[in-house]
Amino acid sequence: MTKSMHISLKAGEKLFLNGAVFQADRKVTLELLNDATFLLESHVMQPEDTTTPLRQLYFVAQSLLVDPANADAARRLFFRHLAALMTTFSNPAILLNLDAVGRLVSEGRAFEALKALRGMFPQEEVVLACTQPHRAA
């Protein structure tokens, strides 16, 4: 049996649901009565925010939810990008988390993969800061 889920939106907030975009004109709570693929606007990354490798992977993964009609192509791109990152990063924690993210996407759990990727952004910032050349003052 499928559990229902309540989603609260503020006025003007968008919800991406099964490829459709809804915008609330006032504060509203929706109850989803069946399984649906959705993303809240606050979790949607814009192209201009894809400034790091993990953010780029997140952007590709989110397209699995935002554009389900093209999910097969997005999934192939996701795994190509993931493979490249697995050879680029050497940080054991990031590699372990990337492996988990790949498993989540393989299992059709893209929303959970996005959550895991968001949690990795601070780690990535530290790693990237350590690899940047230091500038003389």
Side-chain angles (χ1 to χ4, degrees):
M1 182 171 162
T2 304
K3 294 188 289 184
S4 67
M5 175 181 277
H6 290 87
I7 300 172
S8 296
L9 300 173
K10 297 176 242 168
E13 191 172 15
K14 293 178 185 166
L15 171 71
F16 298 79
L17 178 67
N18 289 343
V21 182
F22 296 87
Q23 184 169 12
D25 63 351
R26 59 182 148 305
K27 185 178 177 182
V28 64
T29 299
L30 303 171
E31 182 177 8
L32 297 180
L33 301 175
N34 62 341
D35 288 331
T37 302
F38 74 93
L39 215 94
L40 297 174
E41 179 179 19
S42 62
H43 294 150
V44 174
M45 184 173 293
Q46 299 303 315
E48 60 270 13
D49 297 326
T50 60
T51 56
T52 68
L54 290 183
R55 289 176 182 273
Q56 291 165 2
L57 185 64
Y58 183 99
F59 187 79
V60 174
Q62 89 179 3
S63 60
L64 295 168
L65 299 173
V66 173
D67 188 11
N70 292 308
D72 288 339
R75 193 171 289 101
R76 287 190 301 274
L77 179 59
F78 173 86
F79 284 109
R80 280 196 307 269
H81 194 71
L82 178 64
L85 291 181
M86 294 297 281
T87 63
T88 302
F89 280 105
S90 59
N91 180 289
I94 288 180
L95 291 172
L96 187 65
N97 287 327
L98 283 173
D99 186 56
V101 165
R103 277 196 313 277
L104 289 169
V105 171
S106 291
E107 296 167 0
R109 298 164 54 195
F111 185 81
E112 292 172 58
L114 292 177
K115 184 177 178 181
L117 282 166
R118 280 193 308 274
M120 294 171 63
F121 292 162
Q123 265 183 310
E124 181 188 38
E125 287 177 21
V126 170
V127 168
L128 292 177
C130 291
T131 61
Q132 297 296 319
H134 298 306
R135 294 183 186 167

